Every structure is written in structure tokens, then in C-alpha cells.
Amino acid sequence: SSQTVKHLIKEMIEKEHPAAILSDDDIADRLKARNIDVARRTVAKYREALNIPSSMQRRRMKALAG
């Protein structure tokens, strides 16, 4: 379900390494590896619904924090 996919997206982003920020494409690829077929646009929509910034914004935030 969409709730499960949102949970997985949130989990992946929380565990990402500051030197390897995941793009929406990367997340979609990782979900496909788990046999969850989700388009990049859907990943972006779910990420935004969870109030998670884009990979570029997260990269900047983690660079400033680190």
C-alpha cells in the first residue's frame, strides 16, 4: 500500500549516509529491488507528502550541519 511505500522511503532517507544522499531515482531503484514497482514521480510525490526535502536540499542541509 502507499503507507508501506511511504514508510520505506522515510526509512531509506533516515539511514542515508551524508556522503551518499539518495535521489528519487535511487529510491525508486531500491524499491524495485524489493519488487515494489514505483515510478520516480511517485517517490517524489510521497517524499513531498512526508515533508522530506529533495536530495539537493538534504545535501545542502547535511553539508552545513557537518
Side-chain angles (χ1 to χ4, degrees), residues 5-56:
V5 175
K6 286 179 184 179
H7 175 75
L8 291 170
I9 291 170
K10 186 175 184 199
E11 200 173 69
M12 285 181 206
I13 290 173
E14 286 173 351
K15 292 179 180 178
E16 71 187 356
H17 191 275
I21 302 295
L22 298 171
S23 69
D24 293 340
D25 275 323
D26 295 333
I27 294 168
D29 289 342
R30 287 184 179 201
L31 290 170
K32 281 184 184 121
R34 293 181 167 195
N35 293 320
I36 302 170
D37 194 24
V38 179
R40 182 208 53 83
R41 290 180 62 191
T42 304
V43 170
K45 183 173 95 176
Y46 288 172
R47 179 183 46 72
E48 289 171 7
L50 292 166
N51 294 316
I52 297 172
S54 71
S55 60
M56 290 300 293

